[in-house]
Amino acid sequence: MLWADGLGNTKENSLPQCQLHHIYNLLTRFCTETSTEEVQKRPYLWLDTLCCLVDPEHKLLALAKMPQVYREASQVLVLDSSLTEIDCNHLQPIEMISRVFSSGWIFRLWTLNEANLASRLWIQFRDGVIELGQVLSDLSPMTEPETYYFTGELVCEYGKLRIESPEQGDDELWYLTEALRYRSVSESSDEPICVAALLQMRVDVITGEEKLQLSAKNEDRMRVRDERMARVWESSAKGHPKIPKSLIYHVGDRLTTKGLRWAPSTLLKIKNTTPFLCVAETDLALPSANGLIVSSAACSISVPQRVDHILGRPSAVASSVLDLLKCEGNLWFTIFSTSEQKKYPSGCDHKALYDIIIDAERGGFRTMIESHLTSSLNY
């Protein structure tokens, strides 16, 4: 199979004849250079533009089968215009990998599926192909501190391409969000399909019985995305992937579905992936039909009638904090700790409230996460 930028066609399954000749020549050259038993003399080719039907009904069927196509492909050949314009024979392994991880191919969501499920991943340069895994194994650690750290980062980034790796254990969701931090997708409604495939879920369960029209407006596609993401998170109730309880503190867009208001509506471009990290079994939450059940340490804050005196100085934010904390309902907040040593005013009896006010002044309430938990800690 093969991925290439600039070889798309959203209207029909066809390409200009010159492009087909170009692909044929590349494949012929690829088969000669690799000379592996898996590569046939006349190999079968999968190119989305030619093989994935464009009408909505059949497109959904094709998308549901995509993980199988990726997984059963004997080879994946990556074509990226920024790579096919340079020679690789004179490049050191560290520069080869650096160029791959700064190419356009690495920033697309669908290509993560290809990289993750491919048995062998090849990258096309102007003067030949390289197998990415083999180049990584040839990467020798550098002695200088700066380059040593950089080499480690490249190895780490390569690890994020392999979401199915058994070494990841309960951190599978964190690895996934890390891999998606810089990726994007042209059709927002395709994101849950890609995510489901990466998490080894049945894609047809995520798509359901939908009929998405090509002329659908953006808000309709966002609605379809949210409906599909809701099915992804509902599948997580079966324990795959495991949900860390810190996810309730995630800062970003969430679903509005009852019982799933704790769940992110998108996993793309998340700046802080820490809430998705699970260090121990005690960090896990229990998804249920009513919400996410968590058990965590907390403290009850007594709120005085006035809070201006807590800082030992006037504060316009303090009165707003007081109003927020006194509003009706079960409100839960998290206070993000900092490495700095805080000097509390003498006689301060409300240190936790002091921290909240300071954080509110610095972040304009952005660091105060309102969770809307019920008394039974269901979100």
Side-chain angles (χ1 to χ4, degrees):
M1 57 178 296
L2 177 150
W3 180 90
D5 58 347
L7 294 177
N9 188 338
T10 59
K11 296 182 179 180
E12 57 184 354
N13 298 105
S14 65
L15 285 173
Q17 193 171 17
C18 60
Q19 293 282 20
L20 293 175
H21 278 299
H22 174 61
I23 293 173
Y24 174 79
N25 291 333
L26 284 176
L27 289 179
T28 302
R29 181 179 171 187
F30 173 72
C31 294
T32 302
E33 291 182 0
T34 55
S35 299
T36 57
E37 295 180 359
E38 296 89 344
V39 179
Q40 307 168 25
K41 293 182 179 180
R42 298 186 64 181
Y44 291 104
L45 164 70
W46 175 281
L47 181 64
D48 292 353
T49 305
L50 302 178
C51 303
C52 188
L53 299 178
V54 295
D55 64 280
E57 181 179 357
H58 292 97
K59 180 182 178 180
L60 283 178
L61 292 175
L63 293 179
K65 294 291 185 181
M66 291 297 278
Q68 180 182 354
V69 173
Y70 298 146
R71 189 175 288 108
E72 296 183 2
S74 60
Q75 316 279 341
V76 171
L77 177 61
V78 175
L79 299 184
D80 184 278
S81 58
S82 66
L83 301 175
T84 55
E85 294 178 353
I86 60 175
D87 297 331
C88 65
N89 284 334
H90 68 284
L91 300 180
Q92 295 295 321
I94 189 171
E95 186 173 355
M96 291 184 193
I97 298 179
S98 298
R99 288 185 177 274
V100 171
F101 281 99
S102 59
S103 67
W105 176 79
I106 207 70
F107 294 104
R108 297 295 298 163
L109 176 58
W110 276 111
T111 59
L112 180 58
N113 262 297
E114 300 168 0
N116 176 55
L117 300 175
S119 58
R120 302 188 71 177
L121 183 64
W122 300 82
I123 312 295
Q124 180 72 56
F125 285 85
R126 181 167 56 188
D127 58 347
V129 296
I130 63 169
E131 187 176 4
L132 193 58
Q134 182 60 46
V135 174
L136 185 76
S137 64
D138 295 338
L139 191 63
S140 57
M142 298 189 176
T143 55
E144 296 297 326
E146 295 82 3
T147 52
Y148 181 84
Y149 175 80
F150 182 62
T151 303
E153 283 293 302
L154 291 178
V155 174
C156 181
E157 289 299 319
Y158 178 80
K160 295 173 186 176
L161 295 180
R162 314 300 293 186
I163 307 300
E164 289 186 322
S165 173
E167 290 82 8
Q168 294 171 4
D170 294 337
D171 290 336
E172 183 181 31
L173 192 58
W174 178 80
Y175 272 93
L176 176 60
T177 53
E178 277 287 305
L180 299 180
R181 287 184 66 182
Y182 308 107
R183 295 179 183 266
S184 62
V185 62
S186 55
E187 297 288 348
S188 58
S189 55
D190 285 351
E191 180 192 344
I193 298 176
C194 295
V195 170
L198 291 166
L199 295 175
Q200 304 180 63
M201 296 178 177
R202 286 183 54 187
V203 177
D204 57 333
V205 174
I206 305 305
T207 57
E209 301 294 332
E210 302 167 356
K211 289 186 178 180
L212 182 62
Q213 300 298 321
L214 288 177
S215 59
K217 297 179 180 179
N218 182 61
E219 53 265 29
D220 294 330
R221 294 188 181 276
M222 296 295 286
R223 175 184 54 80
V224 172
R225 182 204 67 180
D226 289 354
E227 291 175 353
R228 291 176 175 176
M229 283 299 294
R231 298 188 192 109
V232 170
W233 291 113
E234 286 169 352
S235 297
S236 69
K238 301 176 182 179
H240 183 75
K242 295 181 178 179
I243 306 301
K245 61 186 180 184
S246 55
L247 197 58
I248 62 175
Y249 302 121
H250 164 62
V251 180
D253 295 334
R254 299 175 182 267
L255 296 176
T256 58
T257 308
K258 183 179 179 180
L260 290 173
R261 289 190 290 269
W262 54 268
S265 59
T266 178
L267 296 179
L268 298 178
K269 299 184 177 180
I270 293 178
K271 295 181 179 180
N272 179 21
T273 61
T274 304
F276 295 83
L277 188 61
C278 177
V279 179
E281 193 72 21
T282 54
D283 295 331
L284 296 176
L286 178 63
S288 71
N290 295 322
L292 196 65
I293 303 175
V294 302
S295 175
S296 184
C299 62
S300 177
I301 301 176
S302 60
V303 183
Q305 291 298 317
R306 292 182 55 82
V307 295
D308 296 52
H309 68 282
I310 293 178
L311 298 180
R313 57 177 171 79
S315 172
V317 173
S319 58
S320 298
V321 171
L322 180 64
D323 293 339
L324 182 61
L325 294 177
K326 284 190 173 182
C327 68
E328 296 182 0
N330 296 297
L331 303 181
W332 292 72
F333 304 88
T334 180
I335 305 173
F336 292 98
S337 61
T338 61
S339 58
E340 64 178 282
Q341 293 291 329
K342 294 179 180 177
K343 293 183 178 180
Y344 296 101
S346 58
C348 181
D349 296 325
H350 301 276
K351 294 183 178 180
L353 188 55
Y354 175 89
D355 290 343
I356 289 179
I357 296 174
I358 293 297
D359 283 343
E361 286 186 329
R362 292 174 177 174
F365 291 98
R366 285 177 297 179
T367 58
M368 300 176 61
I369 313 305
E370 184 176 340
S371 300
H372 294 289
L373 299 175
T374 65
S375 57
S376 61
L377 295 183
N378 285 337
Y379 191 81

